[in-house]
Amino acid sequence: MRFDPGLIEALHEGMFQAPLWDDFLHRLRASSGAALALLAIRPQGQSDVAELVAGEGPSGALRRMMVGGQMREGRGYALEELQDLATAADREALASAQIKALRAVRVTEPSGVDGWLVCAGGRSLGSSAGALVLALAPHLRIALRGFAALERERFRSSVTGEAFNRLNIGWLTLDGQGRIVEVSENAGQMFQWGSLLRRGRYDRLVPSEPAIDRQLTGYIKQVTAGRTVRPLAINLSRDPWLDMLVAPLQGDTISGHRSASVIVYVSGDRRSQADRCEQLVDMFGLLPSEARLAWLLAQATSIADAAETLGITVETARNYSKKIYAKTGASGHAELVRVIMTSVLALS
């Protein structure tokens, strides 16, 4: 059957619209002469059904009749074949709305997402509308497959993003000139923490230290030249803590007109050591001197190195650590790292 090619285009673009498939349903209603066009979608393994409608009418009654009617996949249906499956209340709703004809089809895409497409209206809704709905069925199956894949990727991205947020890790990609191509939301927020990293002219990523800037620029040049290089770890600041890891981008991504060459993971803590020590005093009842040692130990620093940093003897640091373990409930150094780094400090 020949029909408006814009209908197919609208069907495949509909998954990117808000509301979903709005343009497609309005085009379908106009092409078929229906009073109402309905697309119902049920994700795999779920009972809830999303209802997308163009036009006025008892869409709920139509949806319940189709979804509960065990329609065979890929077969066209008319009102006479489905109305006996509707409840008395739904049949009354259809009659009140002057719905005297419909043409419907059900499709299932490979991962199990079900879709029901229906045009409903008066007696004038003829066989051509049924032919149109049937002709659209294979295209709808493909569109639902794309929609299911997109939703899976959105879910995975959401989970990954949440994990990165909890770990205070952001990411951004850079092109061969060190210009920012893409940036995650939490990495963008890190630009506001201070001047350690900033967006420079032409969107170039600019570390505050010239030596680090040269190191980053040299690394990107090696990657763009096709050399095999290991990921580069750089400490930008210890107080507040901010690190970044630069690595070649695995696979090509295009954003706008520029291609990304490397990905930069940024991990940090916008709170200073003094802030964290005050919070440890409040949380565990530590003395300020104990809190300073506890925070250093929580960074996996050895007692000897922590003592040197604080300007105290190792013996004094050991005495402090015993009091810290008692007050925090930690059984040792490793347990102290877990107690502090998984406490509410990670959320503040």
Side-chain angles (χ1 to χ4, degrees):
M1 177 184 178
R2 296 177 61 85
F3 48 81
D4 177 11
L7 200 57
I8 298 296
E9 183 179 348
L11 174 58
H12 290 293
E13 289 184 350
M15 71 183 76
F16 304 108
Q17 283 188 316
L20 291 167
W21 282 287
D22 188 60
D23 184 39
F24 164 71
L25 289 171
H26 280 90
R27 282 175 174 266
L28 176 59
R29 181 184 172 220
S31 297
S32 64
L36 179 148
L38 166 69
L39 173 60
I41 301 173
R42 181 174 62 193
Q44 180 185 22
Q46 297 188 21
S47 58
D48 293 339
V49 178
E51 181 183 296
L52 309 167
V53 184
E56 299 294 331
S59 59
L62 288 168
R63 170 179 53 78
R64 287 187 292 271
M65 184 170 62
M66 290 191 303
V67 173
Q70 299 299 314
M71 292 170 56
R72 288 171 52 191
E73 204 272 346
R75 179 182 180 279
Y77 286 82
L79 179 61
E80 295 77 16
E81 301 173 274
L82 297 175
Q83 60 184 355
D84 289 343
L85 302 171
T87 64
D90 285 342
R91 285 197 297 271
E92 183 178 345
L94 293 173
S96 298
Q98 299 295 306
I99 299 297
K100 299 180 179 180
L102 70 76
R103 298 293 185 268
V105 67
R106 169 181 167 243
V107 299
T108 301
E109 64 87 33
S111 73
V113 176
D114 286 315
W116 291 265
L117 184 64
V118 60
C119 293
R123 296 288 186 194
S124 60
L125 191 68
S127 59
S128 61
L132 175 59
V133 169
L134 269 180
L136 288 170
H139 299 281
L140 176 59
R141 191 178 295 110
I142 295 170
L144 288 179
R145 184 175 186 179
F147 177 69
L150 182 62
E151 287 299 293
R152 286 193 296 270
E153 288 307 313
R154 282 174 176 162
F155 175 76
R156 290 170 183 164
S157 178
S158 175
V159 172
T160 302
E162 180 63 22
F164 271 48
N165 286 337
R166 289 181 180 274
L167 293 171
N168 281 330
I169 296 177
W171 61 266
L172 50 101
T173 56
L174 307 178
D175 69 6
Q177 284 71 50
R179 295 174 296 186
I180 298 171
V181 178
E182 297 169 293
V183 58
S184 67
E185 181 179 354
N186 49 342
Q189 293 171 352
M190 290 179 183
F191 288 139
Q192 303 171 15
W193 291 4
S195 58
L196 293 171
L197 282 177
R198 62 181 178 85
R199 282 179 178 267
R201 196 176 181 185
Y202 306 118
D203 268 347
R204 186 173 175 274
L205 180 65
V206 181
S208 60
E209 292 290 333
I212 294 177
D213 191 15
R214 290 192 295 271
Q215 190 177 14
L216 176 62
T217 300
Y219 184 88
I220 294 173
K221 286 182 178 179
Q222 293 184 67
V223 172
T224 55
R227 297 179 184 175
T228 302
V229 291
R230 294 181 298 177
L232 172 66
I234 302 174
N235 175 254
L236 299 169
S237 172
R238 294 195 178 278
D239 188 19
W241 159 54
L242 189 64
D243 294 334
M244 71 179 186
L245 180 72
V246 191
L249 190 62
Q250 300 299 316
D252 296 330
T253 66
I254 302 295
S255 178
H257 64 284
R258 295 188 309 226
S259 175
S261 298
V262 301
I263 186 165
V264 180
Y265 299 99
V266 185
S267 178
D269 185 350
R270 60 179 164 182
R271 302 284 187 175
S272 67
Q273 289 186 20
D275 293 332
R276 293 309 191 191
C277 290
E278 289 178 3
Q279 291 171 333
L280 288 174
V281 169
D282 294 337
M283 286 182 60
F284 299 109
L286 302 178
L287 296 175
S289 55
E290 295 168 349
R292 288 191 289 271
L293 176 61
W295 183 247
L296 287 175
L297 293 177
Q299 313 308 304
T301 306
S302 69
I303 285 185
D305 289 342
E308 183 179 352
T309 299
L310 295 174
I312 59 177
T313 66
V314 173
E315 187 60 31
T316 299
R318 292 189 186 281
N319 289 332
Y320 284 173
S321 68
K322 292 176 183 178
K323 296 176 182 178
I324 292 168
Y325 297 152
K327 292 179 181 180
T328 60
S331 59
H333 192 168
E335 179 71 6
L336 180 69
V337 174
R338 186 193 66 79
V339 167
I340 292 180
M341 300 312 290
T342 60
S343 70
V344 293
L345 293 184
L347 303 177
S348 65

